[in-house]
Amino acid sequence: MISNGRYSLLFNALFTLFMVGPLVVVIGVSFTPTGYLEFPPSGLSLRWFAAILDNPDFIDAAWVSLKLGIASATVSTIVAVPAALAIGREKFSGREALQALFLSPLTVPTVVLGIAFLRLLSVLELNGTFVGLVLCHAIIITPFVLRLVLSSVVGMDRSIEKAAISLGASNWTVFRRITMPLIMPGIVGGWVLAFITSFDELTVTVFIVNPSTTTLPVRLFSHITQTTDPLIASVSTVVILFTVALMLLINRFYGLDRLLMGETK
Amino acid sequence: MSFLEIKALTKRFSETTAVEDFSLTVERGEFVSLLGPSGCGKTTTLQMIAGFEQPTSGSIILHGRNLAKIPARKRGLGIVFQTYALFPHMTVEQNVAFGLEMRGIPEPDRRQKVAAALDLVKLSHLAKRLPKAMSGGQRQRVALARALVIEPELLLLDEPLSNLDAKLREEMQLELRRIQQEAGVTTLLVTHDQSEAMALSDRIAVMQSGRLMQLGTPFDTYETPKSTFISNFLGKTNCLNARLVSTTGTASTLVINGIEVSGPSVNLLPGDVMASLRPERIDIVESSDGHTEAKVLERIFLGDQWLFRLETKLGELLVVRRNRGRREAEPGENVFIVWQPEHLQILPASRESA
Amino acid sequence: MKSPQNMKPWLLSGPAFVLFLVLLLIPLVMTFMLSFNSFSFYGGIEDVYTFGNYIEVLGDSYFYEIFLRTFLIALITTVFCVLLGVPEAYILLRMRPLARSIMLLVVLGPLLISVVVRTLGWAILLGNNGVINELLQSLGLITSPVKMLYTSGGIVAALVHVMIPFMIIAVWAALQRRDPSAEQAAESLGASPVKVFTRIVLPQAMPGILSGSLIVFSLSASAFATPAILGGRRVKVVSTTVYDEFLNTLNWPLGAAIAVLLLASVLVIMLSWNRLIEKRYTGVFE
Ligand SMILES: Nc1ncnc2c1ncn2[C@@H]1O[C@H](COP(=O)(O)OP(=O)(O)OP(=O)(O)O)[C@@H](O)[C@H]1O
Ligand SMILES: [Mg+2]
């Protein structure tokens, strides 16, 4: 294996700085004892973290986001797993069109999705409701679940199922005892990725929330566009830490590279 | 009535005919190999017996039962797949127990049978391992144990050894034969490896383009192939274009490359034929009396054997000679060759070779 | 023929299909129709269908400027993602496994962190009293703050940060299938590291670069959070304009027309880009 030279390592160091810098700045700012965004902070204070507790707006929004993420990831997984089984292993006309449809939320600009959902939900008088949010988020995140489940379905040796059948297993037993466990990593990975995507979603959500269903990203967004106090930095720091914790968990059990770029090696 | 009777089995896919008019009977306890080149329909035949493919026509009767309407999971056959198809999320023990579980066999019985099966394949010490932590040969044994533990009426093996390296393959051949005989199970093996088929089977069924070409014991098939295709497929041979001049009850006369040669009696009409002479049946001698003259073009050392390429009046010939630790003729040297007329196989002129 | 075998895939994908039909296809059609509705500030959306909204958008240099700016920002972002992402992907692939898995967390991890949060970081960096200006001033390189917040340049910087993981993923996918010994072979034939990169690695990375560019470009062209926070009302792009039409001006039909034009141009660009890639690369790679 050819190793990296000196310039490569320098490039890598600068690149790391570029990637991490903005996040470090946010975290740094959140510890400021002053009332404005300063970096590096002139002291270390937890004042702005304490302030989060006095702002039920943010805490409520975080709860909405959490519930929304769990609900929409679950809805999406429930519909995407059977769809992936059909697309991944059956031959039928319309298969490719169906796959393109299920992946299309990745290509349609999110603002377009946002106003389309807004239009539909206002006609159905569901605008701003939690149910409406869950369904719309399920659409946006289904491509992620589908892709991961599909790759584990396609990667599975079908003679394993034949072996189970030849040993006397019924269709249902084959699915429960063999197929499910084998595509489980894809399902779990897909669910987690879907959850995170929903948890972070702003562009679509901003069109379809109302004050009682405001999510954390929307709350942060409207706060940032109105005022600039270190409170947004401390909330952001909490978001960063939460995401990093989740990320390390994924990396431990599934592999971040596998989650984001499919099977490696 | 035979144990397994396959009658006029045919399978057509949209464009190709994978298996055509294939008939075969197998006796109880017998080990039969389906041998043929890639794409000749071996797997398709096996899949139809297993119940994973529907035959276009024909019937499969096992122990008096017509399998046509019986779904794969009710056929009770033991199958070993080319990729082993072990359940990767289950331990060796759980893999082997799966079929027993499906049959609702109670726990103590199950455990005992699993232990016996693992004993048979000599894997008792690895019962708690996951397949991914095992070598190819060990996985192969697990797959065998899993198929055998349900005491199948018929064991189907699809290229079970093709994923193993050469040395391990030889070991596993012996192992497979031992296990099959100990279990006494009727076995159908699919392979494209002629030496494997010959080493393992009681009878070999040679297939070509979906059809059964020849059926017989390994020895008979090797010694009296019905066509140059089979002769070539089962080991090396020298194929020579020849003309059959006459044949009597005891001998025949041929002309190869303008030279008259005698051969065994055959049941063919005079005219164009193919003459096949196995390399190991030709002897190299030093004295000239009446023998054919030859010049060594190339010589390859194979350890236990020498392989020669010779130029003769009949054409180029391959000759194999056992290594007896003596000096052998070198390229450029002139030698003489001799063979017994009855070792010349006279076959119908094949269509493909012009 | 409607045997149960033929129904199975449709039964399996039925729930997802219904969901997508009701929540994606129908709303998109409704939006398309909405873009033809006329609108008055007193009566709201009227049941009259005209090309008025399109004529208004296509006839106004104000909107031209917004579309031009949007695609220019997307283009420059894509170029920077290629320039930075391709070498980084290659460097990552050559790292030892441990270093690589740590670097992957650093490089890909931000993808999972909210775009709002990441953009906030850039806002703090780029402000007139921000980290970069303070640093440059204290180093004596500049005397008065350089305006970076509320500029297209600032948006590009943050968008590169947001989008570059996609480029790295695409290039990584293309490169990891390569045979590393080809590089060793080139080196053994006397090629310098730069030559190895340009002659051996780059051609193999090309399919990944092209597909990564497509992803980065289309995501950048429709990005909302970053231009909204860093550009505000001053540097408007298409998506923030749509947002304003919908939630501030409340002229939904006009907003829908702008959105349809965005969707159409993104699709046209994607399809022609794909066509280009297919023409050049089918047959060469798998
Ligand atoms: N599902 C299918 N649809 C169409 N054609 C098929 C299908 N399965 C097999 N065939 C064709 O049938 C022929 C026989 O295939 P089969 O798999 O039985 O060959 P094989 O003898 O097992 O070959 P190998 O040694 O390569 O495994 C081939 O020409 C193959 O292309
Ligand atoms: Mg086969």
Side-chain angles (χ1 to χ4, degrees), chain A residues 91, chain B residues 13-14 16-19 36-45 53 82 158-159 190 192:
Chain A
K91 281 187 209 138
Chain B
F13 293 109
S14 47
T16 46
T17 301
V19 177
S38 183
C40 73
K42 308 178 298 281
T43 297
T44 308
T45 307
E53 291 282 4
Q82 186 171 353
D158 189 355
E159 313 240 6
V190 156
H192 61 253

mmCIF file of all heavy atoms in Angstrom, chain A residues 91, chain B residues 13-14 16-19 36-45 53 82 158-159 190 192, ligand 1:
data_model
loop_
_atom_site.group_PDB
_atom_site.id
_atom_site.type_symbol
_atom_site.label_atom_id
_atom_site.label_comp_id
_atom_site.label_asym_id
_atom_site.label_seq_id
_atom_site.Cartn_x
_atom_site.Cartn_y
_atom_site.Cartn_z
ATOM 1 N N LYS A 91 -39.165 -10.045 -10.220
ATOM 2 C CA LYS A 91 -39.102 -9.449 -11.565
ATOM 3 C C LYS A 91 -40.522 -9.096 -11.938
ATOM 4 O O LYS A 91 -41.378 -9.964 -11.992
ATOM 5 C CB LYS A 91 -38.550 -10.468 -12.567
ATOM 6 C CG LYS A 91 -37.055 -10.614 -12.514
ATOM 7 C CD LYS A 91 -36.593 -11.505 -13.668
ATOM 8 C CE LYS A 91 -35.313 -12.240 -13.303
ATOM 9 N NZ LYS A 91 -35.319 -13.634 -13.721
ATOM 10 N N PHE B 13 -36.632 -22.457 -20.700
ATOM 11 C CA PHE B 13 -36.786 -21.057 -20.287
ATOM 12 C C PHE B 13 -37.213 -20.298 -21.533
ATOM 13 O O PHE B 13 -37.217 -20.867 -22.623
ATOM 14 C CB PHE B 13 -35.475 -20.518 -19.712
ATOM 15 C CG PHE B 13 -35.087 -21.171 -18.418
ATOM 16 C CD1 PHE B 13 -34.009 -22.046 -18.354
ATOM 17 C CD2 PHE B 13 -35.824 -20.931 -17.266
ATOM 18 C CE1 PHE B 13 -33.660 -22.648 -17.154
ATOM 19 C CE2 PHE B 13 -35.479 -21.530 -16.074
ATOM 20 C CZ PHE B 13 -34.401 -22.392 -16.023
ATOM 21 N N SER B 14 -37.519 -19.046 -21.377
ATOM 22 C CA SER B 14 -38.079 -18.295 -22.511
ATOM 23 C C SER B 14 -37.272 -18.504 -23.797
ATOM 24 O O SER B 14 -37.837 -18.746 -24.854
ATOM 25 C CB SER B 14 -38.195 -16.818 -22.167
ATOM 26 O OG SER B 14 -36.998 -16.374 -21.575
ATOM 27 N N THR B 16 -33.935 -20.396 -23.883
ATOM 28 C CA THR B 16 -33.100 -21.595 -23.941
ATOM 29 C C THR B 16 -33.852 -22.835 -23.468
ATOM 30 O O THR B 16 -34.787 -22.756 -22.679
ATOM 31 C CB THR B 16 -31.870 -21.450 -23.033
ATOM 32 O OG1 THR B 16 -32.318 -20.936 -21.791
ATOM 33 C CG2 THR B 16 -30.836 -20.542 -23.629
ATOM 34 N N THR B 17 -33.421 -23.956 -23.971
ATOM 35 C CA THR B 17 -33.872 -25.225 -23.420
ATOM 36 C C THR B 17 -32.726 -25.711 -22.550
ATOM 37 O O THR B 17 -31.665 -26.072 -23.046
ATOM 38 C CB THR B 17 -34.165 -26.237 -24.535
ATOM 39 O OG1 THR B 17 -35.158 -25.678 -25.365
ATOM 40 C CG2 THR B 17 -34.664 -27.542 -23.954
ATOM 41 N N ALA B 18 -32.941 -25.682 -21.225
ATOM 42 C CA ALA B 18 -31.850 -26.014 -20.316
ATOM 43 C C ALA B 18 -31.680 -27.519 -20.181
ATOM 44 O O ALA B 18 -30.566 -28.024 -20.105
ATOM 45 C CB ALA B 18 -32.088 -25.369 -18.963
ATOM 46 N N VAL B 19 -32.791 -28.249 -20.156
ATOM 47 C CA VAL B 19 -32.753 -29.702 -20.001
ATOM 48 C C VAL B 19 -33.744 -30.287 -20.995
ATOM 49 O O VAL B 19 -34.856 -29.782 -21.143
ATOM 50 C CB VAL B 19 -33.152 -30.120 -18.568
ATOM 51 C CG1 VAL B 19 -33.172 -31.632 -18.443
ATOM 52 C CG2 VAL B 19 -32.209 -29.514 -17.548
ATOM 53 N N GLY B 36 -20.850 -32.584 -16.589
ATOM 54 C CA GLY B 36 -20.955 -31.920 -17.880
ATOM 55 C C GLY B 36 -20.363 -30.532 -17.812
ATOM 56 O O GLY B 36 -20.111 -30.013 -16.729
ATOM 57 N N PRO B 37 -20.141 -29.944 -18.973
ATOM 58 C CA PRO B 37 -19.527 -28.617 -18.993
ATOM 59 C C PRO B 37 -20.492 -27.562 -18.478
ATOM 60 O O PRO B 37 -21.687 -27.817 -18.341
ATOM 61 C CB PRO B 37 -19.209 -28.383 -20.466
ATOM 62 C CG PRO B 37 -20.183 -29.227 -21.196
ATOM 63 C CD PRO B 37 -20.454 -30.412 -20.322
ATOM 64 N N SER B 38 -19.975 -26.369 -18.227
ATOM 65 C CA SER B 38 -20.785 -25.269 -17.695
ATOM 66 C C SER B 38 -21.958 -24.966 -18.622
ATOM 67 O O SER B 38 -21.811 -24.946 -19.831
ATOM 68 C CB SER B 38 -19.895 -24.040 -17.550
ATOM 69 O OG SER B 38 -20.632 -23.001 -16.979
ATOM 70 N N GLY B 39 -23.115 -24.797 -18.023
ATOM 71 C CA GLY B 39 -24.293 -24.413 -18.809
ATOM 72 C C GLY B 39 -25.010 -25.574 -19.466
ATOM 73 O O GLY B 39 -25.929 -25.380 -20.250
ATOM 74 N N CYS B 40 -24.634 -26.822 -19.118
ATOM 75 C CA CYS B 40 -25.260 -27.955 -19.798
ATOM 76 C C CYS B 40 -26.567 -28.371 -19.146
ATOM 77 O O CYS B 40 -27.238 -29.287 -19.606
ATOM 78 C CB CYS B 40 -24.303 -29.138 -19.852
ATOM 79 S SG CYS B 40 -24.091 -29.924 -18.258
ATOM 80 N N GLY B 41 -26.949 -27.706 -18.044
ATOM 81 C CA GLY B 41 -28.247 -28.000 -17.447
ATOM 82 C C GLY B 41 -28.205 -28.836 -16.182
ATOM 83 O O GLY B 41 -29.242 -29.307 -15.716
ATOM 84 N N LYS B 42 -27.027 -28.994 -15.590
ATOM 85 C CA LYS B 42 -26.915 -29.812 -14.385
ATOM 86 C C LYS B 42 -27.685 -29.213 -13.226
ATOM 87 O O LYS B 42 -28.497 -29.879 -12.574
ATOM 88 C CB LYS B 42 -25.433 -29.955 -13.978
ATOM 89 C CG LYS B 42 -24.527 -30.417 -15.076
ATOM 90 C CD LYS B 42 -23.075 -30.477 -14.622
ATOM 91 C CE LYS B 42 -22.495 -29.147 -14.204
ATOM 92 N NZ LYS B 42 -22.078 -28.263 -15.306
ATOM 93 N N THR B 43 -27.411 -27.933 -12.970
ATOM 94 C CA THR B 43 -28.066 -27.278 -11.840
ATOM 95 C C THR B 43 -29.579 -27.267 -12.036
ATOM 96 O O THR B 43 -30.341 -27.527 -11.106
ATOM 97 C CB THR B 43 -27.546 -25.843 -11.681
ATOM 98 O OG1 THR B 43 -26.160 -25.902 -11.381
ATOM 99 C CG2 THR B 43 -28.258 -25.110 -10.560
ATOM 100 N N THR B 44 -30.002 -26.980 -13.265
ATOM 101 C CA THR B 44 -31.430 -26.933 -13.537
ATOM 102 C C THR B 44 -32.075 -28.283 -13.216
ATOM 103 O O THR B 44 -33.151 -28.346 -12.607
ATOM 104 C CB THR B 44 -31.661 -26.549 -15.006
ATOM 105 O OG1 THR B 44 -30.925 -25.365 -15.282
ATOM 106 C CG2 THR B 44 -33.129 -26.303 -15.275
ATOM 107 N N THR B 45 -31.416 -29.376 -13.607
ATOM 108 C CA THR B 45 -31.942 -30.704 -13.306
ATOM 109 C C THR B 45 -32.089 -30.886 -11.792
ATOM 110 O O THR B 45 -33.134 -31.325 -11.292
ATOM 111 C CB THR B 45 -30.990 -31.791 -13.858
ATOM 112 O OG1 THR B 45 -30.771 -31.522 -15.231
ATOM 113 C CG2 THR B 45 -31.571 -33.170 -13.688
ATOM 114 N N GLU B 53 -37.467 -25.487 -9.235
ATOM 115 C CA GLU B 53 -37.849 -25.147 -10.611
ATOM 116 C C GLU B 53 -38.956 -26.109 -11.016
ATOM 117 O O GLU B 53 -38.915 -27.295 -10.659
ATOM 118 C CB GLU B 53 -36.667 -25.333 -11.578
ATOM 119 C CG GLU B 53 -35.530 -24.357 -11.409
ATOM 120 C CD GLU B 53 -35.801 -22.988 -12.017
ATOM 121 O OE1 GLU B 53 -36.928 -22.755 -12.523
ATOM 122 O OE2 GLU B 53 -34.878 -22.150 -11.961
ATOM 123 N N GLN B 82 -23.763 -24.970 -3.662
ATOM 124 C CA GLN B 82 -22.403 -24.625 -4.053
ATOM 125 C C GLN B 82 -21.785 -23.592 -3.107
ATOM 126 O O GLN B 82 -20.619 -23.665 -2.765
ATOM 127 C CB GLN B 82 -22.439 -24.077 -5.477
ATOM 128 C CG GLN B 82 -21.076 -23.810 -6.042
ATOM 129 C CD GLN B 82 -21.149 -23.480 -7.528
ATOM 130 O OE1 GLN B 82 -22.197 -23.573 -8.145
ATOM 131 N NE2 GLN B 82 -20.022 -23.123 -8.093
ATOM 132 N N ASP B 158 -24.780 -29.817 -5.201
ATOM 133 C CA ASP B 158 -24.483 -29.021 -6.394
ATOM 134 C C ASP B 158 -23.078 -28.441 -6.286
ATOM 135 O O ASP B 158 -22.843 -27.499 -5.552
ATOM 136 C CB ASP B 158 -25.515 -27.894 -6.543
ATOM 137 C CG ASP B 158 -25.378 -27.182 -7.885
ATOM 138 O OD1 ASP B 158 -24.429 -27.514 -8.632
ATOM 139 O OD2 ASP B 158 -26.214 -26.320 -8.183
ATOM 140 N N GLU B 159 -22.152 -29.021 -7.026
ATOM 141 C CA GLU B 159 -20.753 -28.574 -7.018
ATOM 142 C C GLU B 159 -20.276 -28.290 -5.598
ATOM 143 O O GLU B 159 -19.801 -27.190 -5.321
ATOM 144 C CB GLU B 159 -20.616 -27.298 -7.852
ATOM 145 C CG GLU B 159 -21.307 -27.396 -9.182
ATOM 146 C CD GLU B 159 -20.373 -27.208 -10.355
ATOM 147 O OE1 GLU B 159 -19.152 -27.111 -10.128
ATOM 148 O OE2 GLU B 159 -20.857 -27.203 -11.485
ATOM 149 N N VAL B 190 -23.738 -33.008 -8.597
ATOM 150 C CA VAL B 190 -23.544 -32.246 -9.827
ATOM 151 C C VAL B 190 -22.125 -31.709 -9.827
ATOM 152 O O VAL B 190 -21.654 -31.161 -8.838
ATOM 153 C CB VAL B 190 -24.529 -31.060 -9.880
ATOM 154 C CG1 VAL B 190 -23.996 -29.961 -10.777
ATOM 155 C CG2 VAL B 190 -25.876 -31.521 -10.393
ATOM 156 N N HIS B 192 -18.641 -30.322 -12.629
ATOM 157 C CA HIS B 192 -18.051 -30.264 -13.961
ATOM 158 C C HIS B 192 -16.625 -30.783 -13.919
ATOM 159 O O HIS B 192 -15.887 -30.677 -14.882
ATOM 160 C CB HIS B 192 -18.117 -28.834 -14.523
ATOM 161 C CG HIS B 192 -17.373 -27.839 -13.690
ATOM 162 N ND1 HIS B 192 -18.005 -26.915 -12.908
ATOM 163 C CD2 HIS B 192 -16.063 -27.662 -13.504
ATOM 164 C CE1 HIS B 192 -17.096 -26.195 -12.277
ATOM 165 N NE2 HIS B 192 -15.910 -26.634 -12.617
HETATM 166 N N1 LIG D 1 -33.746 -18.841 -14.690
HETATM 167 C C1 LIG D 1 -33.253 -19.023 -15.924
HETATM 168 N N2 LIG D 1 -33.757 -18.356 -16.973
HETATM 169 C C2 LIG D 1 -33.272 -18.524 -18.219
HETATM 170 N N3 LIG D 1 -32.278 -19.370 -18.530
HETATM 171 C C3 LIG D 1 -31.733 -20.100 -17.534
HETATM 172 C C4 LIG D 1 -32.185 -19.951 -16.176
HETATM 173 N N4 LIG D 1 -31.463 -20.793 -15.402
HETATM 174 C C5 LIG D 1 -30.597 -21.411 -16.236
HETATM 175 N N5 LIG D 1 -30.760 -21.009 -17.509
HETATM 176 C C6 LIG D 1 -30.001 -21.479 -18.693
HETATM 177 O O1 LIG D 1 -30.104 -22.869 -18.748
HETATM 178 C C7 LIG D 1 -28.871 -23.454 -19.117
HETATM 179 C C8 LIG D 1 -28.449 -24.476 -18.083
HETATM 180 O O2 LIG D 1 -28.149 -23.814 -16.855
HETATM 181 P P1 LIG D 1 -27.623 -24.576 -15.569
HETATM 182 O O3 LIG D 1 -27.498 -23.574 -14.492
HETATM 183 O O4 LIG D 1 -28.492 -25.738 -15.322
HETATM 184 O O5 LIG D 1 -26.198 -25.040 -16.042
HETATM 185 P P2 LIG D 1 -25.093 -25.858 -15.225
HETATM 186 O O6 LIG D 1 -24.886 -27.101 -15.967
HETATM 187 O O7 LIG D 1 -25.446 -25.942 -13.802
HETATM 188 O O8 LIG D 1 -23.826 -24.938 -15.437
HETATM 189 P P3 LIG D 1 -22.657 -24.555 -14.377
HETATM 190 O O9 LIG D 1 -21.665 -25.666 -14.407
HETATM 191 O O10 LIG D 1 -22.094 -23.296 -15.001
HETATM 192 O O11 LIG D 1 -23.275 -24.317 -13.063
HETATM 193 C C9 LIG D 1 -27.898 -22.317 -19.283
HETATM 194 O O12 LIG D 1 -27.795 -22.026 -20.672
HETATM 195 C C10 LIG D 1 -28.527 -21.184 -18.569
HETATM 196 O O13 LIG D 1 -28.196 -19.973 -19.184
#
